Amino acid sequence: MEKKDNISWRLHKRDDRKVAAAVRAGDIDTITGTGWGFLDKFFCFLYAMGFFDIVDISSAGYQRIMMPLSLLITTYSVKILLGISSMNKIPALLFREIALLSLIGFSATQIKEGSCNRGKGKSLPINKNTLSRMLSRLGIKETVKILDDTASAIAKKKFLIGTTYTMDATDIETTPKCTGCGVKTVKKRKFSRKEKKFVETEKTIYGFKLIVIWENISRAVVAAKVVKIADHESKHTLSLVRQAQDNIGKKKMKLLLIDNGFMDGKTLYALKHKMHIDFIVRIRKNMQLAEDARGLKNSADIYEGKDKAEGLEVTGISCLTTYDQYGKEGHDRDR
């Protein structure tokens, strides 16, 4: 008897509430669109926000412009929203969708014949390299202005409902040939098969550091700054917070969550007493303050809390004042 393959079916159902709860909780690996139908409503949102007026800019990096820069910026934004990982995939995954190109803003002539005589009939509607070159030609001031104006528009439309913000930094590595990049030496810990133990090695890296502030509920970025990779984060804390306040309003930010890379006593004092923003920072294990906290963990002046969902336990110690770097400018002379 001929053996037949068994086919089993597994049914799935759509649960938007569960997905929304996971997104709000940050319990996700990635978000991507299964199609581009969602862009219809998203473009309506952009029009309502005035985003296309914000990106309608000129750039000193261009000697002549064949089409509005806003069209190139919007096209690249759609590439990101669709999860297209490579510029080489754009012609197959984006430029073949005629209805989507019309939604972005390309004319029927551009879609059918191209945007200039050089690529007429070949690069439809534009050459993929035009998008990558656009990024390198946009200056820092132009890019920052787009971000600042977008953050201001979001705040004016009252999309920023939370008062807790996060500031974090991430390294962007480049090659040594990248113009304006910084350089620093970092320690890497890896397992050595030869020595059969973990060993520390030093590595020189080149690049930049991106420092960002975002609102915790909406995840909307309200200020950002790119500096050299060796710059210490604390040098830019106050200036970036001021920029965020200029963008969204001075009273929007009540609590700032930061990593210990931003830890500087004078900066934190100014954040609390001059800008009236509370902060939570993770201290370093080798600090005297950490040792004092461990020694007082069994004292009476503590506050304990548990989060059953996350399995976390938090202990707070009141009146712990041994962080002697914390204070206004010049206070350390009277230490």
Side-chain angles (χ1 to χ4, degrees), residues 11-196:
L11 299 178
H12 297 267
K13 67 177 183 178
R14 179 169 174 166
D15 192 341
D16 289 342
R17 290 185 178 180
K18 186 175 181 180
V19 172
V23 171
R24 285 195 296 269
D27 187 20
I28 52 174
D29 295 321
T30 184
I31 298 178
T32 183
T34 55
W36 57 266
F38 71 95
L39 288 173
D40 245 340
K41 294 181 180 179
F42 184 69
F43 269 77
C44 291
F45 169 76
L46 293 181
Y47 276 114
M49 294 292 297
F51 178 74
F52 297 105
D53 292 329
I54 293 173
V55 296
D56 187 16
I57 62 172
S58 58
S59 173
Y62 284 87
Q63 293 182 349
R64 60 193 182 105
I65 298 178
M66 304 296 294
M67 64 177 62
L69 276 178
S70 58
L71 187 59
L72 296 178
I73 295 172
T74 305
T75 304
Y76 190 83
S77 301
V78 170
K79 168 205 177 281
I80 300 299
L81 289 170
L82 292 179
I84 301 175
S85 58
S86 169
M87 286 290 184
N88 294 325
K89 296 179 181 180
I90 288 179
L93 299 180
L94 177 55
F95 288 169
R96 290 183 180 180
E97 300 285 353
I98 296 176
L100 179 55
L101 292 175
S102 299
L103 184 64
I104 292 173
F106 288 100
S107 66
T109 303
Q110 289 172 327
I111 295 172
K112 185 178 180 179
E113 300 180 4
S115 301
C116 65
N117 290 331
R118 183 184 302 171
K120 191 171 183 178
K122 297 179 181 179
S123 302
L124 306 177
I126 57 175
N127 191 295
K128 61 181 177 62
N129 294 330
T130 303
L131 287 180
S132 58
R133 291 171 187 152
M134 179 268 298
L135 295 177
S136 63
R137 290 178 177 178
L138 282 179
I140 293 178
K141 290 183 179 179
E142 297 151 356
T143 307
V144 170
K145 188 177 187 306
I146 291 175
L147 172 63
D148 291 342
D149 290 349
T150 302
S152 297
I154 291 174
K156 288 177 182 177
K157 295 292 184 179
K158 299 182 179 180
F159 281 99
L160 303 177
I161 59 175
T163 57
T164 300
Y165 289 74
T166 297
M167 178 186 285
D168 201 6
T170 183
D171 290 345
I172 303 174
E173 291 190 36
T174 66
T175 67
K177 297 180 181 179
C178 187
T179 304
C181 70
V183 57
K184 72 175 182 178
T185 301
V186 296
K187 292 183 178 181
K188 296 286 185 179
R189 190 169 180 264
K190 64 179 182 178
F191 186 79
S192 172
R193 292 183 179 180
K194 184 178 180 181
E195 300 181 33
K196 295 183 179 181

Side-chain angles (χ1 to χ4, degrees), residues 283 288-298 317 320:
I283 64 175
Q288 182 64 46
L289 185 64
E291 294 181 13
D292 294 341
R294 294 189 197 102
L296 295 172
K297 67 179 181 180
N298 296 320
I317 302 173
L320 185 60

Side-chain angles (χ1 to χ4, degrees), residues 183-326:
V183 57
K184 72 175 182 178
T185 301
V186 296
K187 292 183 178 181
K188 296 286 185 179
R189 190 169 180 264
K190 64 179 182 178
F191 186 79
S192 172
R193 292 183 179 180
K194 184 178 180 181
E195 300 181 33
K196 295 183 179 181
K197 64 178 182 179
F198 283 96
V199 295
E200 267 193 358
T201 60
E202 289 189 345
K203 179 183 177 183
T204 300
I205 59 174
Y206 300 83
F208 301 90
K209 181 174 291 182
L210 173 64
I211 309 175
V212 178
I213 299 178
W214 68 84
E215 193 266 315
N216 281 23
I217 297 177
S218 66
R219 303 291 181 95
V221 174
V222 297
K225 191 174 186 179
V226 177
V227 299
K228 293 187 177 182
I229 198 168
D231 277 16
H232 199 275
E233 291 93 324
S234 63
K235 290 170 51 181
H236 307 281
T237 302
L238 297 181
S239 62
L240 197 58
V241 170
R242 290 191 191 99
Q243 186 60 57
Q245 289 183 328
D246 289 343
N247 293 342
I248 64 175
K250 289 190 175 181
K251 296 183 179 181
K252 294 282 187 180
M253 190 184 303
K254 301 293 185 182
L255 175 64
L256 186 64
L257 310 180
I258 50 181
D259 200 6
N260 58 17
F262 297 92
M263 200 163 190
D264 173 75
K266 298 181 182 67
T267 299
L268 296 180
Y269 185 89
L271 194 66
K272 170 67 177 177
H273 294 278
K274 292 185 178 180
M275 307 181 80
H276 308 292
I277 298 173
D278 291 327
F279 60 86
I280 296 176
V281 61
R282 179 176 64 89
I283 64 175
R284 300 180 183 89
K285 292 181 180 180
N286 59 353
M287 291 178 63
Q288 182 64 46
L289 185 64
E291 294 181 13
D292 294 341
R294 294 189 197 102
L296 295 172
K297 67 179 181 180
N298 296 320
S299 67
D301 296 329
I302 64 172
Y303 306 91
E304 293 184 347
K306 294 183 179 180
D307 189 328
K308 294 181 180 179
E310 298 292 337
L312 301 176
E313 294 187 14
V314 177
T315 301
I317 302 173
S318 65
C319 301
L320 185 60
T321 58
T322 52
Y323 180 39
D324 54 10
Q325 293 178 352
Y326 183 78

